[in-house]
Amino acid sequence: QVQLVESGGGLVQPGGSMRLSCLASGNIFSINIMGWHRQAPGKEREWIATTGSDGTPNYRDSVKGRFTISRDNAKNMVHLQMNNLKPEDTAVYYCNADLAEADTKYKFTEYWGQGTLVAVSS
């Protein structure tokens, strides 16, 4: 019943900015943690940032000061503002959410989006 869909990816120049968004839809009762991961070609998927239901953020060291995660609980959305992008930021970016559906309020499950490609290149 639940789907997460990312948007906002594409090609960007080094030093540029990009804003990713993720919408969670379906029969959602509650969302706990929301976050972003990325996977570069030939690499393992790595955690980037997460935010709790109160909006408290946590970041991977390599993106601190450049990336900002935020959420809109009323819209069931999470965003990732990326500034001063570097070629090593090139990856497929995935959003995820730990949430409970309305028919299983006691059971939280982690959901993932399909991903959106961010290519940082001149």
Side-chain angles (χ1 to χ4, degrees):
Q1 298 184 51
V2 173
Q3 289 187 328
L4 273 63
V5 180
E6 303 96 337
S7 61
L11 178 64
V12 62
Q13 297 250 110
S17 297
M18 183 170 285
R19 183 176 178 85
L20 304 181
S21 298
C22 175
L23 172 66
S25 62
N27 195 22
I28 298 170
F29 171 72
S30 180
I31 303 178
N32 185 17
I33 298 171
M34 303 185 79
W36 293 91
H37 290 67
R38 68 187 182 189
Q39 187 169 21
K43 303 288 187 179
E44 295 292 317
R45 187 175 299 187
E46 65 180 15
W47 168 76
I48 301 170
T50 48
T51 179
S53 59
D54 63 354
T56 302
N58 291 282
Y59 299 98
R60 186 181 191 88
D61 285 344
S62 62
V63 307
K64 286 181 178 178
R66 299 190 298 124
F67 291 11
T68 302
I69 187 170
S70 61
R71 64 190 289 167
D72 186 333
N73 291 332
K75 296 181 179 180
N76 290 336
M77 296 189 72
V78 62
H79 307 277
L80 186 69
Q81 177 66 46
M82 304 183 293
N83 298 325
N84 192 25
L85 284 161
K86 305 174 181 180
E88 52 263 42
D89 293 319
T90 296
V92 176
Y93 284 70
Y94 300 87
C95 70
N96 74 300
D98 183 34
L99 60 83
E101 297 183 64
D103 57 350
T104 54
K105 300 175 183 176
Y106 55 88
K107 182 178 176 64
F108 280 79
T109 303
E110 190 170 63
Y111 291 84
W112 291 83
Q114 192 169 346
T116 184
L117 176 64
V118 174
V120 185
S121 176
S122 59

